[in-house]
């Protein structure tokens, strides 16, 4: 029964390699927080500055996180954060943009 001694490497969607990835995990958390912030604040027209800037920074951190990610878990979370950031960014741009009303 040699298979009983081997770890399950097939795993599921959130499989990890068992090694710590502090930079990737930090980028994942920042991207998710910025994505949620951008998405929720985009539902209010007067918060377009917050939604557009949070979305833009979320897209940048998510893109860099995707570039250096090593596990499926990281990529899955980053894609969720990137999607929410992009929706928040685009709605924020539609409602007034990055500098709408501040610089005339």
């Amino acid at each position: 029964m040699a298979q009983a001694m081997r770890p399950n490497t097939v795993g599921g969607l959130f499989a990890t390699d068992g090694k710590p990835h502090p930079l990737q995990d930090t980028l994942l958390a920042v991207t998710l927080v910025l994505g949620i912030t951008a998405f929720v604040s985009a539902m209010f027209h007067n918060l377009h500055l917050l939604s557009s800037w949070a979305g833009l920074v979320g897209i940048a951190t998510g893109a860099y996180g995707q570039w250096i990610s090593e596990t499926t878990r990281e990529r899955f979370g980053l894609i969720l954060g990137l999607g929410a950031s992009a929706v928040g960014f685009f709605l924020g741009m539609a409602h007034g943009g990055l500098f709408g009303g501040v610089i005339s």
Side-chain angles (χ1 to χ4, degrees), residues 33-35 37-38 41 49-59 85 89:
V33 168
L34 288 170
T37 302
S41 63
L49 290 174
L50 176 63
S51 63
S52 58
W53 280 106
L56 183 63
V57 175
I59 290 169
S85 294
F89 174 71

Side-chain angles (χ1 to χ4, degrees), residues 6-7 13 24 27 75 98:
R6 294 185 193 140
L13 181 62
Q24 290 87 347
L27 287 171
R75 292 183 188 111
L98 297 169

Side-chain angles (χ1 to χ4, degrees), residues 35-77:
I36 292 169
T37 302
F39 185 79
V40 171
S41 63
M43 302 306 159
F44 304 97
H45 292 272
N46 58 344
L47 294 178
H48 61 87
L49 290 174
L50 176 63
S51 63
S52 58
W53 280 106
L56 183 63
V57 175
I59 290 169
T61 58
Y64 182 66
Q66 281 284 52
W67 187 41
I68 65 169
S69 66
E70 296 183 16
T71 64
T72 302
R73 178 186 58 87
E74 294 162 358
R75 292 183 188 111
F76 181 77

